Amino acid sequence: GVTALCWDPIQRVLFSGSSDHSIIMWDIGGRKGTAIELQGHNDKVQSLSYAHHTRQLISCGADGGIVVWNMDVERQETPEWLDSDSCQKCDQPFFWNFKQMWDSKKIGLRQHHCRKCGKAVCGKCSSKRSSIPLMGFEFEVRVCDSCHESITDEERAPTATFHDSKHNIVHVHFDATRGWLLTSGTDKVIK
């Protein structure tokens, strides 16, 4: 469910925060139709604010975290997850593929998806994790082994800063003229 909205009238981008801990950047006016995902909270996103002059998105959540996102970087859209009845790396069948399990006399495996390429892979072929900040993944996520090797240190460089407000934030307001950030929480405290 969508829990917060914020609009950038200059870039014509809509930001939506949700209860699944993610933020989606919707290209409304650019006509590219892109939707870029940002992952940086450990609980639902409850409030968003955008600083136009610095091109920074400020997100606050029930985890007490304040994340300041640098929106002045070229972000990449996350790939769609591909469907497959077997691992797209080693061809091991997934647990619902009874025919291939019977034919190969192998037990089916659990399906995962690489967050970088979107391929359906087994746990053995996706044993590594990595952050991919340009794709919005500030925390480490599952990637296939070949994508893990291809991710450079530059691609792992953070595009957001994290701050602990020490309270469950329900609303945030940024005053650009003073450079002040105002938060209010469920604890009835305004900071």
Side-chain angles (χ1 to χ4, degrees), residues 40-70:
H41 285 277
N42 294 312
D43 204 339
K44 68 180 174 180
V45 178
Q46 299 195 132
S47 189
L48 298 168
S49 184
Y50 190 74
H52 302 284
H53 65 292
T54 58
R55 294 205 57 203
Q56 291 176 312
L57 176 68
I58 302 160
S59 61
C60 299
D63 57 0
I66 299 172
V67 183
V68 180
W69 303 87
N70 178 2

PDB file of all heavy atoms in Angstrom, residues 40-70:
ATOM      1  N   GLY A  40      15.871   1.396   0.911  1.00  0.00           N
ATOM      2  CA  GLY A  40      16.787   1.894   1.929  1.00  0.00           C
ATOM      3  C   GLY A  40      16.202   1.917   3.328  1.00  0.00           C
ATOM      4  O   GLY A  40      16.813   2.452   4.237  1.00  0.00           O
ATOM      5  N   HIS A  41      15.007   1.357   3.498  1.00  0.00           N
ATOM      6  CA  HIS A  41      14.361   1.331   4.813  1.00  0.00           C
ATOM      7  C   HIS A  41      14.138  -0.106   5.264  1.00  0.00           C
ATOM      8  O   HIS A  41      14.027  -1.010   4.439  1.00  0.00           O
ATOM      9  CB  HIS A  41      13.022   2.076   4.782  1.00  0.00           C
ATOM     10  CG  HIS A  41      13.169   3.561   4.746  1.00  0.00           C
ATOM     11  ND1 HIS A  41      13.377   4.318   5.876  1.00  0.00           N
ATOM     12  CD2 HIS A  41      13.155   4.439   3.710  1.00  0.00           C
ATOM     13  CE1 HIS A  41      13.485   5.599   5.542  1.00  0.00           C
ATOM     14  NE2 HIS A  41      13.358   5.700   4.231  1.00  0.00           N
ATOM     15  N   ASN A  42      14.042  -0.290   6.575  1.00  0.00           N
ATOM     16  CA  ASN A  42      13.773  -1.603   7.148  1.00  0.00           C
ATOM     17  C   ASN A  42      12.342  -1.747   7.640  1.00  0.00           C
ATOM     18  O   ASN A  42      11.991  -2.761   8.235  1.00  0.00           O
ATOM     19  CB  ASN A  42      14.734  -1.883   8.311  1.00  0.00           C
ATOM     20  CG  ASN A  42      16.154  -2.002   7.830  1.00  0.00           C
ATOM     21  OD1 ASN A  42      16.427  -2.702   6.863  1.00  0.00           O
ATOM     22  ND2 ASN A  42      17.069  -1.315   8.479  1.00  0.00           N
ATOM     23  N   ASP A  43      11.532  -0.728   7.417  1.00  0.00           N
ATOM     24  CA  ASP A  43      10.118  -0.754   7.789  1.00  0.00           C
ATOM     25  C   ASP A  43       9.398   0.177   6.810  1.00  0.00           C
ATOM     26  O   ASP A  43      10.029   0.784   5.947  1.00  0.00           O
ATOM     27  CB  ASP A  43       9.932  -0.293   9.238  1.00  0.00           C
ATOM     28  CG  ASP A  43       8.657  -0.831   9.874  1.00  0.00           C
ATOM     29  OD1 ASP A  43       7.725  -1.218   9.124  1.00  0.00           O
ATOM     30  OD2 ASP A  43       8.586  -0.866  11.118  1.00  0.00           O
ATOM     31  N   LYS A  44       8.090   0.325   6.974  1.00  0.00           N
ATOM     32  CA  LYS A  44       7.334   1.095   5.981  1.00  0.00           C
ATOM     33  C   LYS A  44       7.788   2.552   5.906  1.00  0.00           C
ATOM     34  O   LYS A  44       8.146   3.167   6.907  1.00  0.00           O
ATOM     35  CB  LYS A  44       5.839   0.999   6.225  1.00  0.00           C
ATOM     36  CG  LYS A  44       5.344   1.660   7.473  1.00  0.00           C
ATOM     37  CD  LYS A  44       3.838   1.470   7.582  1.00  0.00           C
ATOM     38  CE  LYS A  44       3.333   1.998   8.897  1.00  0.00           C
ATOM     39  NZ  LYS A  44       1.900   1.817   9.025  1.00  0.00           N
ATOM     40  N   VAL A  45       7.761   3.075   4.689  1.00  0.00           N
ATOM     41  CA  VAL A  45       8.088   4.480   4.435  1.00  0.00           C
ATOM     42  C   VAL A  45       6.835   5.282   4.759  1.00  0.00           C
ATOM     43  O   VAL A  45       5.765   5.005   4.236  1.00  0.00           O
ATOM     44  CB  VAL A  45       8.506   4.687   2.955  1.00  0.00           C
ATOM     45  CG1 VAL A  45       8.791   6.150   2.682  1.00  0.00           C
ATOM     46  CG2 VAL A  45       9.702   3.815   2.617  1.00  0.00           C
ATOM     47  N   GLN A  46       6.979   6.288   5.641  1.00  0.00           N
ATOM     48  CA  GLN A  46       5.797   7.011   6.109  1.00  0.00           C
ATOM     49  C   GLN A  46       5.712   8.447   5.636  1.00  0.00           C
ATOM     50  O   GLN A  46       4.647   9.043   5.679  1.00  0.00           O
ATOM     51  CB  GLN A  46       5.709   6.940   7.639  1.00  0.00           C
ATOM     52  CG  GLN A  46       5.581   5.518   8.126  1.00  0.00           C
ATOM     53  CD  GLN A  46       5.149   5.382   9.562  1.00  0.00           C
ATOM     54  OE1 GLN A  46       4.255   4.626   9.829  1.00  0.00           O
ATOM     55  NE2 GLN A  46       5.764   6.095  10.482  1.00  0.00           N
ATOM     56  N   SER A  47       6.835   9.008   5.178  1.00  0.00           N
ATOM     57  CA  SER A  47       6.797  10.394   4.737  1.00  0.00           C
ATOM     58  C   SER A  47       7.937  10.665   3.762  1.00  0.00           C
ATOM     59  O   SER A  47       9.017  10.092   3.886  1.00  0.00           O
ATOM     60  CB  SER A  47       6.889  11.333   5.942  1.00  0.00           C
ATOM     61  OG  SER A  47       6.645  12.664   5.555  1.00  0.00           O
ATOM     62  N   LEU A  48       7.668  11.536   2.797  1.00  0.00           N
ATOM     63  CA  LEU A  48       8.657  11.927   1.792  1.00  0.00           C
ATOM     64  C   LEU A  48       8.676  13.437   1.642  1.00  0.00           C
ATOM     65  O   LEU A  48       7.644  14.092   1.779  1.00  0.00           O
ATOM     66  CB  LEU A  48       8.312  11.314   0.424  1.00  0.00           C
ATOM     67  CG  LEU A  48       8.293   9.799   0.302  1.00  0.00           C
ATOM     68  CD1 LEU A  48       7.662   9.384  -1.018  1.00  0.00           C
ATOM     69  CD2 LEU A  48       9.698   9.247   0.414  1.00  0.00           C
ATOM     70  N   SER A  49       9.852  13.969   1.341  1.00  0.00           N
ATOM     71  CA  SER A  49       9.998  15.393   1.050  1.00  0.00           C
ATOM     72  C   SER A  49      11.094  15.520   0.001  1.00  0.00           C
ATOM     73  O   SER A  49      12.031  14.735  -0.016  1.00  0.00           O
ATOM     74  CB  SER A  49      10.367  16.167   2.312  1.00  0.00           C
ATOM     75  OG  SER A  49      10.412  17.555   2.048  1.00  0.00           O
ATOM     76  N   TYR A  50      10.971  16.521  -0.873  1.00  0.00           N
ATOM     77  CA  TYR A  50      11.955  16.690  -1.941  1.00  0.00           C
ATOM     78  C   TYR A  50      12.587  18.070  -1.862  1.00  0.00           C
ATOM     79  O   TYR A  50      11.884  19.076  -1.794  1.00  0.00           O
ATOM     80  CB  TYR A  50      11.296  16.482  -3.306  1.00  0.00           C
ATOM     81  CG  TYR A  50      12.297  16.411  -4.428  1.00  0.00           C
ATOM     82  CD1 TYR A  50      13.095  15.288  -4.602  1.00  0.00           C
ATOM     83  CD2 TYR A  50      12.464  17.478  -5.306  1.00  0.00           C
ATOM     84  CE1 TYR A  50      14.032  15.219  -5.616  1.00  0.00           C
ATOM     85  CE2 TYR A  50      13.397  17.411  -6.328  1.00  0.00           C
ATOM     86  CZ  TYR A  50      14.169  16.283  -6.479  1.00  0.00           C
ATOM     87  OH  TYR A  50      15.105  16.213  -7.484  1.00  0.00           O
ATOM     88  N   ALA A  51      13.917  18.105  -1.849  1.00  0.00           N
ATOM     89  CA  ALA A  51      14.664  19.370  -1.850  1.00  0.00           C
ATOM     90  C   ALA A  51      15.059  19.670  -3.290  1.00  0.00           C
ATOM     91  O   ALA A  51      15.995  19.072  -3.822  1.00  0.00           O
ATOM     92  CB  ALA A  51      15.891  19.254  -0.960  1.00  0.00           C
ATOM     93  N   HIS A  52      14.336  20.593  -3.930  1.00  0.00           N
ATOM     94  CA  HIS A  52      14.529  20.882  -5.358  1.00  0.00           C
ATOM     95  C   HIS A  52      15.914  21.439  -5.662  1.00  0.00           C
ATOM     96  O   HIS A  52      16.535  21.055  -6.649  1.00  0.00           O
ATOM     97  CB  HIS A  52      13.470  21.885  -5.849  1.00  0.00           C
ATOM     98  CG  HIS A  52      12.079  21.408  -5.638  1.00  0.00           C
ATOM     99  ND1 HIS A  52      11.498  20.445  -6.435  1.00  0.00           N
ATOM    100  CD2 HIS A  52      11.153  21.748  -4.697  1.00  0.00           C
ATOM    101  CE1 HIS A  52      10.272  20.218  -6.014  1.00  0.00           C
ATOM    102  NE2 HIS A  52      10.041  20.992  -4.955  1.00  0.00           N
ATOM    103  N   HIS A  53      16.395  22.342  -4.825  1.00  0.00           N
ATOM    104  CA  HIS A  53      17.657  23.027  -5.125  1.00  0.00           C
ATOM    105  C   HIS A  53      18.865  22.103  -5.039  1.00  0.00           C
ATOM    106  O   HIS A  53      19.880  22.342  -5.681  1.00  0.00           O
ATOM    107  CB  HIS A  53      17.828  24.249  -4.206  1.00  0.00           C
ATOM    108  CG  HIS A  53      17.982  23.908  -2.758  1.00  0.00           C
ATOM    109  ND1 HIS A  53      16.966  23.362  -2.005  1.00  0.00           N
ATOM    110  CD2 HIS A  53      19.048  24.016  -1.941  1.00  0.00           C
ATOM    111  CE1 HIS A  53      17.397  23.158  -0.786  1.00  0.00           C
ATOM    112  NE2 HIS A  53      18.665  23.542  -0.709  1.00  0.00           N
ATOM    113  N   THR A  54      18.791  21.037  -4.260  1.00  0.00           N
ATOM    114  CA  THR A  54      19.914  20.099  -4.153  1.00  0.00           C
ATOM    115  C   THR A  54      19.619  18.760  -4.823  1.00  0.00           C
ATOM    116  O   THR A  54      20.483  17.889  -4.850  1.00  0.00           O
ATOM    117  CB  THR A  54      20.275  19.825  -2.677  1.00  0.00           C
ATOM    118  OG1 THR A  54      19.117  19.306  -2.010  1.00  0.00           O
ATOM    119  CG2 THR A  54      20.761  21.093  -1.997  1.00  0.00           C
ATOM    120  N   ARG A  55      18.408  18.615  -5.350  1.00  0.00           N
ATOM    121  CA  ARG A  55      17.959  17.363  -5.983  1.00  0.00           C
ATOM    122  C   ARG A  55      18.161  16.180  -5.047  1.00  0.00           C
ATOM    123  O   ARG A  55      18.799  15.203  -5.379  1.00  0.00           O
ATOM    124  CB  ARG A  55      18.633  17.138  -7.325  1.00  0.00           C
ATOM    125  CG  ARG A  55      18.214  18.190  -8.344  1.00  0.00           C
ATOM    126  CD  ARG A  55      18.335  17.764  -9.757  1.00  0.00           C
ATOM    127  NE  ARG A  55      17.563  16.551 -10.001  1.00  0.00           N
ATOM    128  CZ  ARG A  55      17.810  15.718 -10.993  1.00  0.00           C
ATOM    129  NH1 ARG A  55      18.770  15.950 -11.832  1.00  0.00           N
ATOM    130  NH2 ARG A  55      17.087  14.644 -11.159  1.00  0.00           N
ATOM    131  N   GLN A  56      17.600  16.315  -3.844  1.00  0.00           N
ATOM    132  CA  GLN A  56      17.670  15.251  -2.854  1.00  0.00           C
ATOM    133  C   GLN A  56      16.259  14.884  -2.408  1.00  0.00           C
ATOM    134  O   GLN A  56      15.436  15.761  -2.149  1.00  0.00           O
ATOM    135  CB  GLN A  56      18.484  15.685  -1.636  1.00  0.00           C
ATOM    136  CG  GLN A  56      19.956  15.859  -1.924  1.00  0.00           C
ATOM    137  CD  GLN A  56      20.701  16.377  -0.712  1.00  0.00           C
ATOM    138  OE1 GLN A  56      20.276  17.335  -0.078  1.00  0.00           O
ATOM    139  NE2 GLN A  56      21.820  15.732  -0.395  1.00  0.00           N
ATOM    140  N   LEU A  57      16.016  13.588  -2.328  1.00  0.00           N
ATOM    141  CA  LEU A  57      14.763  13.076  -1.792  1.00  0.00           C
ATOM    142  C   LEU A  57      15.027  12.668  -0.355  1.00  0.00           C
ATOM    143  O   LEU A  57      16.027  12.014  -0.059  1.00  0.00           O
ATOM    144  CB  LEU A  57      14.287  11.860  -2.602  1.00  0.00           C
ATOM    145  CG  LEU A  57      13.034  11.164  -2.082  1.00  0.00           C
ATOM    146  CD1 LEU A  57      11.810  12.070  -2.261  1.00  0.00           C
ATOM    147  CD2 LEU A  57      12.829   9.838  -2.779  1.00  0.00           C
ATOM    148  N   ILE A  58      14.129  13.073   0.542  1.00  0.00           N
ATOM    149  CA  ILE A  58      14.254  12.729   1.955  1.00  0.00           C
ATOM    150  C   ILE A  58      13.103  11.791   2.285  1.00  0.00           C
ATOM    151  O   ILE A  58      11.936  12.140   2.093  1.00  0.00           O
ATOM    152  CB  ILE A  58      14.202  13.979   2.848  1.00  0.00           C
ATOM    153  CG1 ILE A  58      15.314  14.947   2.436  1.00  0.00           C
ATOM    154  CG2 ILE A  58      14.321  13.602   4.313  1.00  0.00           C
ATOM    155  CD1 ILE A  58      15.095  16.375   2.893  1.00  0.00           C
ATOM    156  N   SER A  59      13.453  10.589   2.759  1.00  0.00           N
ATOM    157  CA  SER A  59      12.422   9.621   3.122  1.00  0.00           C
ATOM    158  C   SER A  59      12.570   9.265   4.598  1.00  0.00           C
ATOM    159  O   SER A  59      13.679   9.165   5.117  1.00  0.00           O
ATOM    160  CB  SER A  59      12.519   8.371   2.256  1.00  0.00           C
ATOM    161  OG  SER A  59      13.758   7.720   2.413  1.00  0.00           O
ATOM    162  N   CYS A  60      11.429   9.121   5.249  1.00  0.00           N
ATOM    163  CA  CYS A  60      11.411   8.772   6.668  1.00  0.00           C
ATOM    164  C   CYS A  60      10.482   7.592   6.855  1.00  0.00           C
ATOM    165  O   CYS A  60       9.484   7.450   6.148  1.00  0.00           O
ATOM    166  CB  CYS A  60      10.910   9.948   7.499  1.00  0.00           C
ATOM    167  SG  CYS A  60      11.943  11.410   7.341  1.00  0.00           S
ATOM    168  N   GLY A  61      10.825   6.755   7.833  1.00  0.00           N
ATOM    169  CA  GLY A  61      10.023   5.564   7.999  1.00  0.00           C
ATOM    170  C   GLY A  61       9.751   5.180   9.428  1.00  0.00           C
ATOM    171  O   GLY A  61      10.240   5.793  10.385  1.00  0.00           O
ATOM    172  N   ALA A  62       8.975   4.114   9.555  1.00  0.00           N
ATOM    173  CA  ALA A  62       8.622   3.578  10.858  1.00  0.00           C
ATOM    174  C   ALA A  62       9.830   2.973  11.554  1.00  0.00           C
ATOM    175  O   ALA A  62       9.792   2.738  12.764  1.00  0.00           O
ATOM    176  CB  ALA A  62       7.510   2.538  10.706  1.00  0.00           C
ATOM    177  N   ASP A  63      10.903   2.741  10.817  1.00  0.00           N
ATOM    178  CA  ASP A  63      12.145   2.226  11.404  1.00  0.00           C
ATOM    179  C   ASP A  63      12.946   3.323  12.099  1.00  0.00           C
ATOM    180  O   ASP A  63      13.994   3.057  12.672  1.00  0.00           O
ATOM    181  CB  ASP A  63      13.005   1.539  10.343  1.00  0.00           C
ATOM    182  CG  ASP A  63      13.367   2.434   9.168  1.00  0.00           C
ATOM    183  OD1 ASP A  63      12.968   3.618   9.140  1.00  0.00           O
ATOM    184  OD2 ASP A  63      14.057   1.948   8.252  1.00  0.00           O
ATOM    185  N   GLY A  64      12.466   4.564  12.039  1.00  0.00           N
ATOM    186  CA  GLY A  64      13.167   5.695  12.643  1.00  0.00           C
ATOM    187  C   GLY A  64      14.254   6.244  11.752  1.00  0.00           C
ATOM    188  O   GLY A  64      14.955   7.181  12.121  1.00  0.00           O
ATOM    189  N   GLY A  65      14.392   5.671  10.581  1.00  0.00           N
ATOM    190  CA  GLY A  65      15.441   6.096   9.668  1.00  0.00           C
ATOM    191  C   GLY A  65      15.052   7.279   8.810  1.00  0.00           C
ATOM    192  O   GLY A  65      13.905   7.413   8.379  1.00  0.00           O
ATOM    193  N   ILE A  66      16.023   8.152   8.601  1.00  0.00           N
ATOM    194  CA  ILE A  66      15.905   9.248   7.638  1.00  0.00           C
ATOM    195  C   ILE A  66      16.950   8.944   6.570  1.00  0.00           C
ATOM    196  O   ILE A  66      18.132   8.819   6.861  1.00  0.00           O
ATOM    197  CB  ILE A  66      16.191  10.618   8.279  1.00  0.00           C
ATOM    198  CG1 ILE A  66      15.205  10.913   9.395  1.00  0.00           C
ATOM    199  CG2 ILE A  66      16.156  11.714   7.217  1.00  0.00           C
ATOM    200  CD1 ILE A  66      15.539  12.172  10.196  1.00  0.00           C
ATOM    201  N   VAL A  67      16.488   8.789   5.340  1.00  0.00           N
ATOM    202  CA  VAL A  67      17.392   8.502   4.228  1.00  0.00           C
ATOM    203  C   VAL A  67      17.362   9.703   3.292  1.00  0.00           C
ATOM    204  O   VAL A  67      16.296  10.159   2.888  1.00  0.00           O
ATOM    205  CB  VAL A  67      16.997   7.207   3.485  1.00  0.00           C
ATOM    206  CG1 VAL A  67      18.003   6.901   2.377  1.00  0.00           C
ATOM    207  CG2 VAL A  67      16.890   6.034   4.437  1.00  0.00           C
ATOM    208  N   VAL A  68      18.551  10.217   2.977  1.00  0.00           N
ATOM    209  CA  VAL A  68      18.672  11.334   2.040  1.00  0.00           C
ATOM    210  C   VAL A  68      19.256  10.759   0.754  1.00  0.00           C
ATOM    211  O   VAL A  68      20.407  10.310   0.719  1.00  0.00           O
ATOM    212  CB  VAL A  68      19.566  12.459   2.606  1.00  0.00           C
ATOM    213  CG1 VAL A  68      19.664  13.598   1.617  1.00  0.00           C
ATOM    214  CG2 VAL A  68      19.023  12.946   3.949  1.00  0.00           C
ATOM    215  N   TRP A  69      18.439  10.750  -0.297  1.00  0.00           N
ATOM    216  CA  TRP A  69      18.782  10.154  -1.583  1.00  0.00           C
ATOM    217  C   TRP A  69      19.315  11.211  -2.537  1.00  0.00           C
ATOM    218  O   TRP A  69      18.666  12.233  -2.725  1.00  0.00           O
ATOM    219  CB  TRP A  69      17.560   9.511  -2.222  1.00  0.00           C
ATOM    220  CG  TRP A  69      16.887   8.483  -1.392  1.00  0.00           C
ATOM    221  CD1 TRP A  69      15.920   8.698  -0.452  1.00  0.00           C
ATOM    222  CD2 TRP A  69      17.115   7.077  -1.422  1.00  0.00           C
ATOM    223  NE1 TRP A  69      15.537   7.509   0.101  1.00  0.00           N
ATOM    224  CE2 TRP A  69      16.256   6.495  -0.474  1.00  0.00           C
ATOM    225  CE3 TRP A  69      17.969   6.263  -2.168  1.00  0.00           C
ATOM    226  CZ2 TRP A  69      16.219   5.121  -0.259  1.00  0.00           C
ATOM    227  CZ3 TRP A  69      17.931   4.902  -1.947  1.00  0.00           C
ATOM    228  CH2 TRP A  69      17.069   4.343  -0.998  1.00  0.00           C
ATOM    229  N   ASN A  70      20.452  10.966  -3.141  1.00  0.00           N
ATOM    230  CA  ASN A  70      20.984  11.849  -4.178  1.00  0.00           C
ATOM    231  C   ASN A  70      20.264  11.509  -5.480  1.00  0.00           C
ATOM    232  O   ASN A  70      20.497  10.461  -6.075  1.00  0.00           O
ATOM    233  CB  ASN A  70      22.487  11.631  -4.323  1.00  0.00           C
ATOM    234  CG  ASN A  70      23.097  12.473  -5.417  1.00  0.00           C
ATOM    235  OD1 ASN A  70      22.419  13.266  -6.070  1.00  0.00           O
ATOM    236  ND2 ASN A  70      24.388  12.309  -5.630  1.00  0.00           N
TER     237      ASN A  70
END
